[in-house]
Amino acid sequence: MKYIDEFRDGALARKIAAQIAAEVRPDRRYHFMEFCGGHTHAISRYGVTDLLPDAVRMIHGPGCPVCVLPIGRVDLAIALALEHRVTLATYGDVLRVPASNGLSLLKAKARGGDVRMIYSAADALALARKNPAREVVFFAIGFETTTPPTALAIKQAAAEGLANFSVVCNHVLTPAAIGNILESPEVRKLGTVPLDGFIGPAHVSTVIGSRPYEYFAEEYCKPVVIAGFEPLDVMQAILMLVRQVNEGRSEVENEFTRAVTRDGNVKAQALVAEVFELRRSFEWRGLGEVPYSALAIRGEYAAFDAERKFALETRKVADNKACECGAILRGVKHPRECKLFGTVCTPENPVGSCMVSSEGACAAHYSYGRYKEVPIKAAA
């Protein structure tokens, strides 16, 4: 299949790996963060790290929307289902995220809450149309990729006068997270990791384009290469990053030219700007409070904002002390450095959010046998 089979060619992968090995300098190490969980999944699934020289270390970032959702926000959704008795609709991975008091949305459903798994924002809207006597709340999550469909659903609800439909907005922004990783007071508590460059997300970049990353390349002298999700995409991006580091360049390069442009999807950006505005601050699991890193529903669409409609307040809830999810999301620790990984914490019995989502670093490593690997390459 075009753009899939040819990007999974094993012989070509070995050639790119040989080129990377030939170009790494013997006097240094290379530390690259793949921001997006989709890239983490591809790297684990296809054994990309097995093809890389020891000098190149891949570091997992916080680009999994389910993983970065703090417990307090999941508690909001559970309260809506069990206390306000609404029909709560959200994506499948969110249902299993551990929350307070041993609960999750799936367990709330078992206790009688009307919790529905959906595949799109349009599905939530359809639920509201079919059940006019029920309050239907869409618990929306995701980076810039899933934000435009949520904005469209709110606009359609307003146009149709669906007074029984509202949204809890948990949409977060990629550039703010990258900035937080590069410069944040949280590093004093969790530590930091050397970073020489980023593999930029694929789907997010189809919406926002490559332009927003130019600030990081210029201000922090960190090269960014936007890459697709196939194994050869990732390997080509690593080669491009190695070359930038060797040449002393810090630029934004686009490996994913078949889908990403510099300006992105302008129509989608305009739709999001019409319906949403920046929050002053938002809590991320693993990153803490990050200023201007998330979106809220504008006042013009306040009737469809569940947080206002039901007077909801988010409270901070500490993560399980034994879980290293926060440090893993920052790239400070590897999944295998968590004592719970693969023993107490598995995809069937997740303790932390990194094991819940298929895009989570822990789930990716567990699912593809990475927990059986030899000891982690030491960071220089």
Side-chain angles (χ1 to χ4, degrees):
M1 187 183 297
K2 189 170 177 62
Y3 296 144
I4 295 183
D5 289 347
E6 64 266 47
F7 284 87
R8 297 178 182 176
D9 186 311
L12 186 53
R14 286 187 286 273
K15 287 183 180 179
I16 299 175
Q19 190 66 43
I20 293 171
E23 296 197 24
V24 296
R25 286 170 27 191
D27 61 334
R28 71 158 298 150
R29 295 181 66 86
Y30 303 78
H31 303 84
F32 301 133
M33 174 177 279
E34 82 274 2
F35 178 89
C36 184
H39 287 135
T40 299
H41 180 89
I43 289 169
S44 293
R45 179 180 180 184
Y46 296 104
V48 170
T49 51
D50 298 339
L51 297 174
L52 297 176
D54 289 343
V56 178
R57 182 189 176 202
M58 300 306 299
I59 299 163
H60 313 304
C64 165
V66 173
C67 302
V68 300
L69 195 64
I71 291 175
R73 299 297 288 184
V74 184
D75 285 348
L76 281 188
I78 292 171
L80 281 167
L82 294 182
E83 298 172 19
H84 296 276
R85 311 305 297 179
V86 308
T87 296
L88 189 115
T90 192
Y91 303 119
D93 282 354
V94 181
L95 300 182
R96 300 172 60 244
V97 176
S100 298
N101 304 315
L103 281 175
S104 67
L105 278 167
L106 202 57
K107 291 179 180 178
K109 180 179 177 70
R111 291 190 179 186
D114 189 2
V115 178
R116 312 283 185 95
M117 185 188 79
I118 57 170
Y119 294 97
S120 69
D123 289 347
L125 202 59
L127 273 175
R129 293 191 189 105
K130 292 177 183 177
N131 301 276
R134 294 281 299 171
E135 285 286 346
V136 175
V137 177
F138 174 40
F139 191 71
I141 72 161
F143 289 92
E144 291 89 344
T145 313
T146 56
T147 306
T150 303
L152 183 59
I154 292 172
K155 280 199 68 175
Q156 287 181 325
E160 297 174 26
L162 286 177
N164 66 322
F165 177 79
S166 58
V167 173
V168 175
C169 180
N170 300 287
H171 287 297
V172 289
L173 305 173
T174 302
I178 294 176
N180 182 272
I181 290 169
L182 292 171
E183 185 177 304
S184 166
E186 285 292 309
V187 300
R188 295 180 182 176
K189 181 175 70 174
L190 294 174
T192 187
V193 66
L195 286 177
D196 298 304
F198 289 89
I199 294 181
H203 294 157
V204 163
S205 301
T206 64
V207 177
I208 68 174
S210 63
R211 189 191 298 268
Y213 308 110
E214 294 172 4
Y215 169 78
F216 304 107
E218 181 178 348
E219 183 71 15
Y220 296 99
C221 296
K222 303 294 183 185
V224 179
V225 176
I226 297 163
F229 286 129
E230 296 303 324
L232 295 192
D233 285 316
V234 176
M235 295 195 68
Q236 181 63 26
I238 293 169
L239 177 59
M240 294 165 73
L241 284 170
V242 167
R243 287 174 174 169
Q244 282 209 51
V245 171
N246 288 347
E247 296 167 9
R249 294 185 291 117
S250 299
E251 301 172 4
V252 176
E253 293 183 321
N254 182 14
E255 183 276 338
F256 199 34
T257 54
R258 60 189 187 275
V260 173
T261 63
R262 185 166 184 257
D263 293 323
N265 188 326
V266 179
K267 288 185 178 179
Q269 294 168 22
L271 175 62
V272 169
E274 178 186 348
V275 177
F276 297 111
E277 62 186 2
L278 282 174
R279 292 181 187 262
R280 286 185 177 273
S281 185
F282 191 80
E283 183 187 0
W284 293 52
R285 188 186 296 246
L287 303 187
E289 289 287 336
V290 183
Y292 302 106
S293 65
L295 299 174
I297 299 170
R298 287 189 178 275
E300 298 92 312
Y301 294 95
F304 305 97
D305 185 346
E307 293 182 67
R308 303 186 199 191
K309 191 173 187 178
F310 297 97
L312 302 176
E313 290 187 11
T314 306
R315 62 187 183 91
K316 290 188 177 182
V317 182
D319 291 330
N320 186 310
K321 291 182 179 179
C323 177
E324 299 285 3
C325 193
I328 291 167
L329 287 168
R330 293 192 63 81
V332 176
K333 290 193 175 183
H334 191 280
R336 297 196 310 280
E337 293 180 278
C338 179
K339 295 178 181 178
L340 304 182
F341 177 77
T343 55
V344 176
C345 185
T346 66
E348 292 74 28
N349 181 45
V351 174
S353 59
C354 294
M355 189 63 89
V356 173
S357 172
S358 60
E359 291 192 356
C362 294
H365 277 256
Y366 187 92
S367 298
Y368 298 107
R370 296 288 132 184
Y371 61 92
K372 299 176 183 177
E373 290 178 349
V374 294
I376 305 161
K377 299 174 184 178

